[in-house]
Amino acid sequence: KSGEKNVKKMSETLSIIGQINTLLGKYPQAEEAFLEVIALTKDSTRDHNVEFALALNYLGLVYFKRGDLDQAMEKFQESLRIRLTAPETSSDVAVLYYNIASIYLHKGDNESALAHFKRALEVERRTLGQYHPDVAITLKLIGKVYDRCGQFDEGVQHYSDAFDIYVRSYDSADASSRDVKDYKKSAARILALIASIHLRQANIPRMTAALSQAYRLFREVGLPLHELELDTGFDMYDLSVLHPKGAAAA
């Protein structure tokens, strides 16, 4: 028991070192730390080796940031296989589906990306609830894929579902909390994405209505209008140093 506790402590410390080095752009040092975690945890007798799977995911992120998409995909898929053997699915499985989807997007495979984002959405809804802000993030990304594929009605529908979650979130949050500002900012950016689709469809009245609502939300929280970006692209779920067992909410 004490030996297993020591291994757990060492792997957690090495994982944090790896995450910090990744954030600093020191990829060789990060890779070395995560490989040590993998070596320490790969022979665990537990049915679903969480530390091992997380180290594979973090190593995949290092490879992604270095531009090695094939190695990144290999690590994400290996991590996912391990996590799917767990008796219960947790929200970190959604992160792996998300990261795999992001690789497919970078490779130009929109169909596979969409399938994996939808799997991430299923896991998030099951583990976090229908109206969790992370669900809104994934809905937004599904909308972006449909948008990219020219399926504008599907894109608007998923953007609108994400917007509704943000509205619900800021309506139910404490009025003085920073969350209200963040949720309104996210809701406004969703509206800007909806407006961009209406613009491409030459539906000027709907575009104007969406942008007007977005600007109103930005003004309510005191944000400069130039921060209202139409599209920031696709990103990996990033590393979280404060919560090393999970990923940040993108």
Side-chain angles (χ1 to χ4, degrees), residues 94 97 114-124 126 142:
Y97 279 128
L114 189 58
H116 283 79
F117 277 135
K118 286 183 175 181
R119 287 174 190 157
L121 182 64
E122 289 171 9
V123 174
E124 286 172 339
R126 189 165 66 250
I142 292 172

Side-chain angles (χ1 to χ4, degrees), residues 119-162:
R119 287 174 190 157
L121 182 64
E122 289 171 9
V123 174
E124 286 172 339
R125 282 176 164 164
R126 189 165 66 250
T127 59
L128 300 175
Q130 294 285 334
Y131 304 110
H132 193 279
D134 284 5
V135 173
I137 291 170
T138 306
L139 283 166
K140 177 187 75 173
L141 292 166
I142 292 172
K144 282 189 177 184
V145 179
Y146 278 124
D147 190 350
R148 175 185 284 189
C149 295
Q151 295 177 251
F152 297 136
D153 289 344
E154 288 284 356
V156 169
Q157 182 60 60
H158 284 81
Y159 287 151
S160 298
D161 290 345

Side-chain angles (χ1 to χ4, degrees), residues 4 17 19 36-37 42 67 69 72 76 81 85 99 111 167 181 184 187 196 202 217 223 232 239:
E4 189 169 328
I17 290 170
Q19 292 175 63
E36 285 190 55
V37 177
K42 69 178 180 181
L69 299 185
F76 292 146
R81 282 195 297 271
T85 65
N99 287 345
E111 186 176 344
V167 171
K181 183 174 183 177
K184 285 191 174 183
S196 71
L217 284 171
L223 291 168
T232 57
L239 300 172

Side-chain angles (χ1 to χ4, degrees), residues 60-61 63-64 68-77 103:
L61 285 165
Y63 292 145
F64 174 79
D68 191 337
L69 299 185
D70 291 333
Q71 277 205 78
M73 178 71 89
E74 180 185 320
K75 299 307 175 188
F76 292 146
Q77 289 177 330
I103 294 287

Side-chain angles (χ1 to χ4, degrees), residues 10-29:
M10 285 180 63
S11 64
E12 287 178 349
T13 301
L14 284 164
S15 181
I16 291 172
I17 290 170
Q19 292 175 63
I20 291 171
N21 278 312
T22 304
L23 293 169
L24 293 173
K26 297 180 178 180
Y27 301 136
Q29 294 91 326

